[in-house]
């Protein structure tokens, strides 16, 4: 079933604003609130746990946490701990990380693709309660198993942009997070790449596709949204803007392109409570929007 989510960004919003924002999103009827981990702002997992603790039904997505910053066993413990405390409400995502930041902290992988290829299968196996032994370039585990694996492993998402990462994510992750600034046609092409690679890896079903879309509401919405993409002549094709019904129509186009979760990304200068209220109205207006199937 299609879903509609929104975002709490670690910039310009400091961590102490998250609890009120999470409550506002849930009160507005929003199904999912997505976070991410930028260096050197907020911890993704601490923030996710805090948001889950102050809400009852809201799902929290991490899209994404950088793979190079943590040993895969540590990531598995983070995810498993949160999943056991808040079953079915965490959507954990991982990615290469911004390479300049990874270099800055001495964590840059010489081959980000190899790192993802090794980490995500190991992470998924650990979360499934398996005992994992592997000797890769980056992931080295010897009879490692979680003492407290989740009762049901959550879907593990990978962030992907270029064709190689999209294909790898389709092969080794359960879902894929696509960044904003893309047209519907570009998103459709990415979805095909992901699912073709998934099928080629012998995996059943479709990947769960999450796509961020820059969104603005109100009479001057299009100007505010496209201003963020001032360097693009086709900026208007890469945003959703206008009334609730106009944004809902745009969401439906992304859903038709194969997106399971359209995540509406606010511009930096908005009142979050008002934005979340509008997102909740969009969720009501879009046919077939609702919880994770």
């Amino acid at each position: 079933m299609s879903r509609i989510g929104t975002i709490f960004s670690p910039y310009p919003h400091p961590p102490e604003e998250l609890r009120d924002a999470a409550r506002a999103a849930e009160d507005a009827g929003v199904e999912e609130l997505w976070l991410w981990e930028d260096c050197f702002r907020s911890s993704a997992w601490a923030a996710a746990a805090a948001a889950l603790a102050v809400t009852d039904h809201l799902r929290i997505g991490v899209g994404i946490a950088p793979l190079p910053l943590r040993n895969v066993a540590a990531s598995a413990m983070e995810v498993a701990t949160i999943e056991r405390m808040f079953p079915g409400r965490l959507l954990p995502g991982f990615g290469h990380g911004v390479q300049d930041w990874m270099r800055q902290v001495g964590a840059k992988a010489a081959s980000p693709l190899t790192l993802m290829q090794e980490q995500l299968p190991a992470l998924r196996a650990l979360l499934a309660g398996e005992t994992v032994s592997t000797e890769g370039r980056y992931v080295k585990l010897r009879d490692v198993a979680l003492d407290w694996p989740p009762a049901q492993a959550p879907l593990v998402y990978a962030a992907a942009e270029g064709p190689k990462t999209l294909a790898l994510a389709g092969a080794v992750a359960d879902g894929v997070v696509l960044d904003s600034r893309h047209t519907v046609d570009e998103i459709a092409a990415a979805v095909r790449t992901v699912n073709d690679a998934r099928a080629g890896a012998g995996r059943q079903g479709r990947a769960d596709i999450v796509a961020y879309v820059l969104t603005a509401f109100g009479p001057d919405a299009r100007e505010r949204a496209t201003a963020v993409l001032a360097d693009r002549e086709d900026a208007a094709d890469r945003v959703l803007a206008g009334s609730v019904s106009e944004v809902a129509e745009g969401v439906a186009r992304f859903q038709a392109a194969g997106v399971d979760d359209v995540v509406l990304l606010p511009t930096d200068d908005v009142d979050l409570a008002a934005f979340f209220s509008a997102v909740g109205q969009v969720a009501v207006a879009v046919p077939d929007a609702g919880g994770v199937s």
Side-chain angles (χ1 to χ4, degrees), residues 131-259:
T131 298
V132 181
S133 294
T134 185
E135 189 72 21
R137 180 176 179 180
Y138 297 107
V139 177
K140 303 177 189 298
L141 301 174
R142 298 179 184 176
D143 297 323
V144 176
L146 297 176
D147 283 357
W148 298 107
Q152 181 172 343
L155 299 182
V156 173
Y157 294 80
E161 184 73 19
K164 290 182 179 179
T165 307
L166 286 165
L168 178 59
V172 301
D174 300 308
V176 177
V177 178
L178 304 175
D179 200 1
S180 61
R181 303 170 182 256
H182 295 295
T183 66
V184 171
D185 288 344
E186 289 169 352
I187 291 290
V191 171
R192 289 193 295 272
T193 298
V194 168
N195 284 313
D196 286 349
R198 184 180 177 91
R203 302 184 63 194
Q204 301 298 312
R206 297 177 61 256
D208 190 74
I209 305 294
V210 177
Y212 294 171
V213 185
L214 187 67
T215 304
F217 296 96
D220 60 345
R222 191 159 301 279
E223 290 75 13
R224 286 187 284 114
T226 56
V228 180
L229 305 177
D231 58 328
R232 302 299 299 254
E233 291 184 0
D234 60 348
D237 297 327
R238 300 173 185 274
V239 302
L240 296 178
S243 66
V244 165
S245 60
E246 288 172 323
V247 170
E249 290 172 1
V251 165
R253 291 193 292 273
F254 280 93
Q255 291 174 332
V259 177

Side-chain angles (χ1 to χ4, degrees), residues 78-131:
E78 298 274 21
V79 173
T81 298
I82 296 172
E83 173 62 27
R84 286 185 69 101
M85 290 191 292
F86 307 100
R89 295 176 58 202
L90 178 68
L91 307 171
F94 299 84
H96 297 319
V98 176
Q99 295 304 291
D100 284 346
W101 288 338
M102 298 303 100
R103 188 181 296 109
Q104 190 176 355
V105 299
K108 183 181 182 301
S111 175
L113 283 170
T114 301
L115 177 64
M116 179 177 284
Q117 187 174 31
E118 293 180 0
Q119 275 223 20
L120 291 189
L123 175 64
R124 291 174 53 235
L126 289 168
L127 293 173
E130 299 176 17
T131 298

Side-chain angles (χ1 to χ4, degrees), residues 270-283:
V270 302
D271 176 275
L272 283 182
F275 186 87
F276 294 166
S277 177
V279 173
Q281 294 173 55
V282 171

